[in-house]
Amino acid sequence: MQDQARKAHFWMVLDMFGGQVIPFAIFLVIARIIGPQAYGTFALAMAFVGLMSVVIYQGIADALIQVPELDERHVSTAFWMNLALASLIFLLVQALAGWVAELYHAPEMEPVLRWIALLAPLQALISVQIILFRRNLDTSVLARRTFVGRSVGGGVGVALAFAGAGISSLVALQLVQAAVSVLVLWRADRWRPRPVFDLKEARAFARFGRHFMGATVITSLGTSADSLLVGLFLDPVMVGYYALAARLIEMARVLVLLPMRMLIMPVLSRLSDPKRFAADYNEMARSVLAVWMPLLLALGTSADVLPVLFGAKWEGSVVLLEAMSLAAFTLPLWALAGDALSATDRPELYLQLAATQVAILAAGITAGAQFGLTGVGLGWSAASACMVPIAFLALRKVCPMPWGPQLASALRVAAAGLGFLAGFLAAFHLLAVLGWPSWTRSLIATGLGLVFYTALVEFIFLPGHVTRGLRSLRAVLVSRGVPSNAAPSRTAA
């Protein structure tokens, strides 16, 4: 990747770091207070309205990335389209809130759904600004937005939780966080919407957006359907256990995968040479897998720490997180494919791929739920493994994507992952003989596994990979950064 893309990736990582680590620290406090049942009910409500942010942030607004030269017609039209869509979503949630609460036998969900629906118009107010910053690969302001919004919203949520507000503290956290994000981005960007709506451009956005939005909505449904399905088969307490494990997995996914996903479209869409496209995509996938593998394995091997952090009432999440961590070997091999397909102006293939993923996930979760939470985790991981060959086949429809290089890289990283597990098991059993507590053994053995994995990658399986990554990071840290975001009239490619 070029220097500007590396800098943008660095700021995206910081953005995702703030967007995941700060809320997780806040969640540590709130979860101990409200318990798994209240959090499970809130997780069900958020899963139901979770499609909102995907619809607002992606689809219509993302079509702006594909426009060679932007002007006011494009930007204002996209803004008003998103705001209208957000208003419809808000009204739809109001109409369905009572029915959804009745379906899950959780009457306390109804007011939560009605208030959370306010996120739709709040997100619509900044959807275009976010795309403009992404288009220019100017992501530092997005990181600032995340840190400020999460911190202020988290402070309000924690204060209300200590005051005994229960589930309302989580609702207030989300709304305050969204409102602060609007203030930060509107202060950082000079662009303001004008009373301009071009019907021709709206139709063009809709043609692109219907496939891309459909794919991202279906993908988001895949991340929400698991909680919704667990809620249908199991009680809210079990949903709370699942929500905790899924939150940890999602935190890892956002930190590692999402920054690269946000770069794939603006970077790969500029490449016309199929061989260069395939080579750059394989490099991105390999880099993500090399970081994802130890992170997810570490989550699984250190799962015994959950009751220590969150309290003994959250112990049910341990075996579930261990089962879900098996996706360490597969998820990055298919999770980037949809954005690569969209970069080739084939969002309809992304839609087909996303629909397939949701169907496979639903089947895995439904089958696994018959055997309890452990079965749900194994079904989730099995669905991820099934997606790998399907994603390869989809990519080959738009690019002569060779299986060999990426498969070889994946096998080398997987071998290092097995080395991680071997180092962990050896240290864990040795410390057991010495009489160390279980959670302490898990932490120390996980640390040893990470060291072993890093050494295997650097010196045996991907020689020099860690060193090159550290050099790239150092180059970003000592650079002056990328130019700030400009007004739409200056964003022409």
Side-chain angles (χ1 to χ4, degrees):
M1 292 182 292
Q2 298 176 347
D3 288 343
Q4 190 180 28
R6 287 197 181 98
K7 295 170 187 174
H9 185 262
F10 171 74
W11 283 110
M12 284 182 185
V13 170
L14 283 186
D15 183 20
M16 305 311 162
F17 182 84
Q20 294 298 312
V21 174
I22 293 176
F24 181 71
I26 295 166
F27 177 64
L28 275 175
V29 178
I30 296 180
R32 295 183 71 96
I33 299 173
I34 68 173
Q37 182 169 0
Y39 187 76
T41 301
F42 178 77
L44 283 173
M46 285 298 294
F48 180 75
V49 300
L51 297 179
M52 292 189 308
S53 59
V54 176
V55 171
I56 301 303
Y57 279 133
Q58 302 190 44
I60 294 173
D62 258 30
L64 294 175
I65 294 179
Q66 301 292 90
V67 178
E69 295 185 9
L70 286 181
D71 58 35
E72 192 59 44
R73 294 177 301 112
H74 302 105
V75 184
S76 287
T77 297
F79 177 86
W80 295 118
M81 290 178 72
N82 263 351
L83 189 58
L85 183 58
S87 301
L88 289 175
I89 292 171
F90 175 81
L91 295 174
L92 183 62
V93 173
Q94 300 305 314
L96 296 178
W99 176 80
V100 173
E102 184 178 349
L103 175 67
Y104 285 95
H105 307 287
E108 63 273 20
M109 278 182 64
E110 183 174 350
V112 174
L113 286 167
R114 296 190 187 282
W115 280 103
I116 288 296
L118 289 170
L119 290 175
L122 289 172
Q123 290 166 346
L125 291 175
I126 55 176
S127 60
V128 167
Q129 284 90 339
I130 289 175
I131 293 299
L132 293 177
F133 283 115
R134 282 181 55 199
R135 178 185 170 93
N136 286 344
L137 299 181
D138 182 6
T139 51
S140 59
V141 68
L142 301 181
R144 186 166 68 249
R145 174 276 313 249
T146 298
F147 274 94
V148 176
R150 302 285 188 178
S151 299
V152 176
V156 171
V158 169
L160 289 175
F162 274 113
I167 197 171
S168 297
S169 62
L170 295 171
V171 176
L173 184 155
Q174 294 289 330
L175 294 178
V176 171
Q177 172 184 296
V180 171
S181 296
V182 171
L183 292 175
V184 171
L185 286 186
W186 276 62
R187 285 178 59 87
D189 188 35
R190 295 192 299 272
W191 178 79
R192 294 292 181 268
R194 298 178 184 176
V196 175
F197 190 87
D198 190 300
L199 188 57
K200 179 181 177 181
E201 296 301 334
R203 289 172 178 169
F205 291 155
R207 281 194 298 271
F208 178 88
R210 72 178 186 271
H211 295 298
F212 194 79
M213 183 188 300
T216 50
V217 167
I218 290 175
T219 301
S220 180
L221 179 61
T223 63
S224 302
D226 48 5
S227 294
L228 296 173
L229 286 171
V230 171
L232 288 176
F233 292 110
L234 304 174
D235 59 50
V237 175
M238 298 295 109
V239 175
Y241 293 151
Y242 180 81
L244 172 58
R247 184 186 182 97
L248 293 169
I249 298 290
E250 183 62 17
M251 182 170 67
R253 176 154 40 184
V254 169
L255 288 175
V256 179
L257 269 74
L258 191 55
M260 190 66 76
R261 286 192 59 198
M262 295 177 70
L263 280 181
I264 280 182
M265 276 191 66
V267 172
L268 295 186
S269 61
R270 301 171 184 175
L271 301 178
S272 57
D273 180 8
K275 292 184 178 180
R276 175 71 184 277
F277 182 98
D280 282 9
Y281 175 82
N282 285 336
E283 179 186 353
M284 291 177 174
R286 181 186 64 186
S287 298
V288 169
L289 182 62
V291 178
W292 169 263
M293 178 79 69
L295 179 58
L296 211 65
L297 289 177
L299 282 177
T301 56
S302 60
D304 285 343
V305 181
L306 293 182
V308 178
L309 293 177
F310 295 95
K313 53 192 172 185
W314 288 93
E315 189 171 358
S317 296
V318 173
V319 293
L320 181 59
L321 182 59
E322 291 172 345
M324 294 176 72
S325 68
L326 294 175
F329 294 91
T330 59
L331 197 142
L333 299 178
W334 61 266
L336 303 177
D339 297 279
L341 292 171
S342 295
T344 64
D345 202 22
R346 296 293 302 275
E348 73 280 4
L349 291 178
Y350 184 11
L351 177 59
Q352 296 171 16
L353 183 66
T356 302
Q357 190 262 332
V358 170
I360 292 174
L361 176 65
I365 294 293
T366 300
Q370 312 310 311
F371 303 94
L373 282 179
T374 303
V376 169
L378 293 175
W380 189 88
S381 295
S384 176
C386 291
M387 281 300 300
V388 175
I390 296 173
F392 275 123
L393 291 174
L395 286 169
R396 287 184 64 85
K397 292 183 179 181
V398 298
C399 177
M401 186 73 67
W403 289 64
Q406 189 166 359
L407 181 60
S409 295
L411 289 175
R412 288 195 292 268
V413 176
L418 293 176
F420 173 104
L421 293 176
F424 168 83
L425 291 173
F428 187 83
H429 289 297
L430 176 61
L431 294 173
V433 172
L434 298 176
W436 289 52
S438 177
W439 69 271
T440 307
R441 281 183 279 150
S442 296
L443 284 181
I444 295 176
T446 296
L448 181 61
L450 288 171
V451 172
F452 198 28
Y453 172 88
T454 303
L456 289 173
V457 169
E458 175 68 4
F459 299 110
I460 298 178
F461 296 114
L462 295 174
H465 181 82
V466 177
T467 302
R468 289 192 296 272
L470 293 175
R471 287 174 180 169
S472 296
L473 177 61
R474 181 178 180 276
V476 171
L477 291 174
V478 301
S479 65
R480 295 183 177 181
V482 297
S484 62
N485 190 34
S489 60
R490 300 180 183 177
T491 57

